[in-house]
Amino acid sequence: TASAQPPANQYGWRKKNVTATFSGTDAMSGGVTCDPQVVLSGEGTGQSASGRCYDAAGQQSNLATVTGINIDKTNPTAAITTPTNGATYKPNQAVKASYSCSDTLSGILTCTGTLANGQRIVTSKAVRNAKFTVTATDRAGNTQKVTNTYTVN
């Protein structure tokens, strides 16, 4: 048999290297040895690893394969358009939150900001170094957080 560790998450992705191991039994001659483990470290979808086991008489098993291994170790990207980092806004100025998130491999699971995209940012009172944060999470569980600061005066 072939197995892979760590297991995939609920979306079928792993964010770390995957180790495939091979195991077998033989009731007749015993002394089973198997091919060494295989470490899959590259990112991608639909990866697989195969190996065999051998009994004490030198006979080999059928090829055992673990398939469908998806690895994404790269953080998604998050970008804030508004509020602009370091910007100064006037009191009661109409400023709407604008941001985006992307991921080229497993895809974006969540993209959340301090306020919802398109919602008006509160500029009714003076504030220095206000923070606006966006967090992107991909389907593999990788995250990126980006924060812009702005002033209202």
Side-chain angles (χ1 to χ4, degrees), residues 1-6 14 16-23 34-42 47-52 63-66 69 71:
T1 62
S3 62
Q5 291 295 324
R14 296 163 169 98
K16 296 181 179 181
N17 292 348
V18 174
T19 302
T21 56
F22 311 101
S23 61
C34 298
D35 287 340
Q37 65 185 22
V38 174
V39 176
L40 300 171
S41 59
Q47 299 182 65
S48 63
S50 299
R52 297 181 190 275
L63 193 63
T65 303
V66 60
I69 297 171
I71 301 173

Side-chain angles (χ1 to χ4, degrees), residues 13 25 55 78 88 109:
W13 286 91
T25 59
D55 67 13
T88 299
L109 179 64

Side-chain angles (χ1 to χ4, degrees), residues 79-83 96-100 115-119 121 132 134:
I80 302 171
T81 305
T82 309
K96 290 186 178 181
S98 177
Y99 54 89
S100 62
L115 299 171
N117 220 350
Q119 189 172 4
I121 295 169
F132 189 92
V134 173

